[in-house]
């Protein structure tokens, strides 16, 4: 692995599109490491991440990583570089607000700890849920009707929002919204464009056999292969 002398780990100047792809590269690199792969070519890494190799090399150049011609990238070192850039080399306490089905799934997800995220607390306003253990060592605390403003006042500076609401937060607080229904609607748009549409009775559109949407919910580290 050739390393650029005095290469600064710079989140400054890194395009947002590159930052969005770094976690994808990291996931592929973790898989390589688990399989005992010591080096990986840009072509192999790009194919596994679903991008072209030129884009991947440009993305990694922002980290000061250029690989070695004819050899590729050192997997362990690249894991460190990407992890450092994403801030995953430090401990991040996470509070889960809401202990419903999604909250329970997040609390029991084993992949957080290995990525630097520690579930510090799980909170819920439902008296029937408060005090119950929903994950190993995780007892639900009372949220006491906690809302976004109180989270921010308590020092929370980053929020991942799964709720179907728009949050208004002060400057300095980052919010990322995850809406699965919106993602499915976007997939439906693209599926529709690829399909032959026929109009049936009732003016409803139907698509040729075999066209549909699938939500993959594999376990952490589990590969999913389409039949």
């Amino acid at each position: 692995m050739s390393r650029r002398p005095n290469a600064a780990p710079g989140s400054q100047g890194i395009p947002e599109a590159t930052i969005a792809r770094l976690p994808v590269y990291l996931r592929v690199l973790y898989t390589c490491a688990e399989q005992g792969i010591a080096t990986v070519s840009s072509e192999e890494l790009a194919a596994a991440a679903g991008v072209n190799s030129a884009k991947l090399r440009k993305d990694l150049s922002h980290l000061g990583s250029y690989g070695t011609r004819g050899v590729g990238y050192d997997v362990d070192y690249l894991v460190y570089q990407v992890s450092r850039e994403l801030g995953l080399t430090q401990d991040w306490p996470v509070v889960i607000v809401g202990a419903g089905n999604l909250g329970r799934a997040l609390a029991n997800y084993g992949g957080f700890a290995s990525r630097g995220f520690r579930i510090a607390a799980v909170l819920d306003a439902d008296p029937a849920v408060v005090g119950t253990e929903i994950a190993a060592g995780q007892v639900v605390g009372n949220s006491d009707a906690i809302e976004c403003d109180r989270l921010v006042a308590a020092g929370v500076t980053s929020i991942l929002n799964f709720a179907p609401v728009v949050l208004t937060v002060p400057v300095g607080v980052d919010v990322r919204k995850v809406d699965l229904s919106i993602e499915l609607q976007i997939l439906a748009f693209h599926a529709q464009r690829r399909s032959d549409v026929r109009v049936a009775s009732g003016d409803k559109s139907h698509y040729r056999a075999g066209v549909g949407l699938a939500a993959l919910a594999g376990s952490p580290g589990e590969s999913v292969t389409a039949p």
Side-chain angles (χ1 to χ4, degrees):
M1 161 69 71
S2 62
R3 300 173 188 170
R4 186 180 185 182
N6 301 320
S11 16
Q12 296 187 3
I14 298 183
E16 285 295 326
T18 295
I19 295 172
R21 287 188 290 268
L22 290 181
V24 180
Y25 300 153
L26 186 59
R27 182 178 60 198
V28 175
L29 289 165
Y30 275 129
T31 300
C32 290
E34 290 166 0
Q35 294 175 352
I37 298 173
T39 59
V40 61
S41 70
S42 59
E43 289 77 13
E44 292 169 330
L45 183 53
V51 301
N52 64 63
S53 57
K55 179 177 292 184
L56 177 135
R57 287 192 294 269
K58 184 174 182 180
D59 286 343
L60 296 183
S61 71
H62 289 292
L63 280 61
S65 188
Y66 294 88
T68 302
R69 183 178 295 277
V71 177
Y73 295 91
D74 181 284
V75 170
D76 288 341
Y77 184 66
L78 195 52
V79 165
Y80 165 73
Q81 282 187 302
V82 177
S83 297
R84 178 187 61 185
E85 200 63 52
L86 290 173
L88 304 183
T89 54
Q90 55 185 302
D91 176 65
W92 293 101
V94 175
V95 175
I96 298 174
V97 180
N101 291 334
L102 181 56
R104 290 169 183 268
L106 293 172
N108 282 280
Y109 176 53
F112 287 137
S114 62
R115 305 300 193 267
F117 300 100
R118 172 176 53 85
I119 305 301
V122 181
L123 306 176
D124 200 286
D126 185 353
V129 177
V130 173
T132 63
E133 185 175 19
I134 64 170
Q138 280 295 348
V139 176
V140 179
N142 193 337
S143 67
D144 193 24
I146 194 168
E147 69 285 336
C148 183
D149 289 345
R150 292 178 60 191
L151 286 172
V152 172
V156 172
T157 58
S158 302
I159 299 173
L160 185 61
N161 179 27
F162 290 93
V165 295
V166 176
L167 299 180
T168 301
V169 296
V171 175
V173 177
D174 294 319
V175 176
R176 290 190 65 86
K177 182 172 178 58
V178 179
D179 191 320
L180 300 182
S181 66
I182 288 178
E183 298 302 323
L184 285 171
Q185 289 172 54
I186 293 172
L187 285 173
F189 169 85
H190 292 293
Q192 175 181 252
R193 291 300 182 272
R194 290 193 302 268
S195 305
D196 297 323
V197 182
R198 63 179 177 83
V199 178
S201 59
D203 292 330
K204 289 187 177 180
S205 297
H206 296 269
Y207 304 94
R208 68 172 183 264
V211 174
L213 306 178
L216 303 184
S219 300
E222 176 186 359
S223 61
V224 180
T225 304

